[in-house]
Amino acid sequence: MENSGGSTQDINAPPLEGVSGGGTSYGWINGDVHGSGHLQRTVDPREIQTADLLHVWSMPSTANVGQQEMPRPMEPIKLLAARNERESAQIALRPKVSWAGSGIAGVAQIHCTDLCSTSGDRLAVGQSLSLRRVAAILGVPDALVPLDLPVSQLNLNPMETTVIWVSVDVPTEQPPGLYEGEIIISAMKEDTQSSVHGLPKSERHQIYSEIKSCLDIVDAIDDKPYEDVVERVKSLSANLQRVLLSPTFLGCCSNNGSSDMMDEDVFTDLSVRLKLSVTVWDFSIPVTPSLPAVFGISETVIEDRYGVEHGSDEWYNALEQHFKWLLQYRISPFFCRWGNGMRVLAYTCPWPADHSKSDEYHSDPRLAAYAVPFAPILSGSDAAKCSLQKEVELLKTKSHWKKAYFYLWDEPMTLEHYNSIRSMSTELHTYAPDARVLTTYNSGPNDAPLAPNNFEAFLEVPNFLRPHTQIYCTSELILGNRDDLVDDIISEIQVDNGEEWWTYVCLGPSDPQPNWHLGMRGTQHRAVMWRVWREGGTGFLYWGSNCYEKATVASAEIKFRRGLPPGDGVLFYPGEVFSTNQLVASMRLERILSGLQDIEYLKLYASKYGRQASLALLEKTGVYQGPEQYTSGHMPIDTMRAEVYYACQF
């Protein structure tokens, strides 16, 4: 397996077998790509336009841009976003010539500005605007490694395309309007790559003066009565002060910002300036997701890779880091470990119900649903199960109890498995009659058929498990490409009695249907949630988001589990693999977030015009017609979102 940090790929080799689910849309081409490396020792990037050294162009977030992606014309990035929404795009860089030695083509500096509106409001770099480098996994672009802000530098390889993922998070209180800024890309001399100290002194003084000016403006409005504005501005002020005190600006204060600006002006004039604008719409995505999307996090993977002992302070801290980090993706995380026969211990909060952390976790408005463990988390023994009743009785007194569910067994296959679910559920419902038990399944018991054929047996599962299950969670693999089977499934669910139908993906379905396997098209990833909306599911489960092969060192190479399609069960990576202490998201995880945000748009539209109208909108705009008929391009997505906004303005 290729090193997960994204080592250089042989440009003559096609993608590896088994990871090209959506085709070779991530940029492999036939034949060699010839550069102009013979110029590398004659080019000084301080004396030539960056545009003459470097191709720069933008791509939508649904594009898979590989190392051999060919250049396109540069166009401004224009994003559309509601409040409390994240929108992303990509910037691709490809050297035209080499201007450095040491086996690289050269060094590019990336500088972001705040996005500003004409009324003076801002989307600040480092708070609302972030940059991440796209790294290859198995030769496929996927990992998003955080970059320094507001200035970062990248090594560019000859005849390779390097990609930057740009995200804008719009705060809930952000005033609507058009926000504009720039991403400035400059070719640099190789000896300036290691530190921001390599910037010309005149440029550092200019940056210092600009930041100091910003602080003066902030201080002038500090006494205004609008509390939310004051708090936001104070936060910005503290952030800017921290930047001013960094080693980058040591020695600048005494010079009052005066310097000969000629060198800096020339340098800036040589740069490529990519315009970035965000239109913030006058409505907000709800803080609490409308669709509960519950995703598993393997506690044992965390223990093994980070070397933390089960139940230790370090263990609690590691779990909390993962929990809080995944919440930003509109996901309701649960921790899990598996027992014999696919019995699963699932829990959202590792602390007991009488701990202060319990209310903090369960009351978080970003959490749409939480799992309650059937056995104690730290022991898991049957002898200690009596504590469950005390836990449940305390949780039942809380207003957040309506979000609780119990996930007892994953994909029962035999009559014994099904009877175990019935037994555990019976015990649970003796002291919590309103408890919701979730069961995932893709068949009935294979040793005691419920009907003459597999699909009819599958349809009989609700009758067989009733009243021991309230959330029937079925695999999308069962449906294949037949939308008509959805009605058959829903007809077996007693919605009036509080039963729900959720869905999940895992090993299947496979290409061309929507799933989250590595190498599938970007719209194929995003279409998983379009399918959920189209079919009418009221929740979604994903079995694991960090379930890679076991390793005992945090920085060890990522290996997907044998027997699973690459990417199945892995949606983020340990940052240590990429020399950072932050968790590293996959592009697939970002597209899951986009799909969950799309559901909020569709729900808003349905609230005004009806559910059937929202389905018609999906079809009319060409976004989604069925599990094998959905857009391969990005334009229909923005068309649909814009139509929702303009049709639902208040």
Side-chain angles (χ1 to χ4, degrees), residues 60 62-63 521-523 530 621-623 630-638:
T62 49
R521 295 179 300 276
T523 54
W530 303 337
T621 54
V623 172
Y630 50 88
T631 181
S632 60
H634 193 83
M635 184 63 72
I637 301 172
D638 279 345

Side-chain angles (χ1 to χ4, degrees), residues 573-589:
Y573 305 99
E576 289 77 4
V577 175
F578 306 95
S579 302
T580 176
N581 59 3
Q582 304 178 51
L583 294 173
V584 170
S586 66
M587 293 170 65
R588 294 168 293 127
L589 183 58

Side-chain angles (χ1 to χ4, degrees), residues 429-443:
H429 284 122
T430 58
Y431 47 83
D434 60 341
R436 298 189 302 163
V437 173
L438 179 152
T439 301
T440 60
Y441 63 97
N442 55 25
S443 71

Side-chain angles (χ1 to χ4, degrees), residues 37 50 113 156 281 490 499 518 531:
T50 294
T113 71
L156 306 179
W281 286 331
I490 293 179
E499 293 180 356
L518 190 71
R531 182 172 191 171

Side-chain angles (χ1 to χ4, degrees), residues 423-434:
S423 175
M424 287 188 286
S425 178
T426 297
E427 177 185 341
L428 177 62
H429 284 122
T430 58
Y431 47 83
D434 60 341

Side-chain angles (χ1 to χ4, degrees), residues 50-109:
T50 294
D52 292 333
L53 304 176
L54 194 60
H55 293 287
V56 179
W57 70 101
S58 60
M59 297 288 281
S61 60
T62 49
N64 292 337
V65 186
Q67 290 177 338
Q68 297 310 314
E69 188 79 22
M70 289 294 98
R72 305 183 184 209
M74 187 177 77
E75 297 179 353
I77 298 174
K78 298 180 180 180
L79 300 178
L80 312 171
R83 294 191 292 259
N84 195 37
E85 183 175 20
R86 174 183 295 175
E87 273 293 285
S88 301
Q90 300 178 79
I91 301 171
L93 312 175
R94 188 178 180 92
K96 296 180 179 180
V97 300
S98 291
W99 63 91
S102 305
I104 65 170
V107 178
Q109 176 182 279

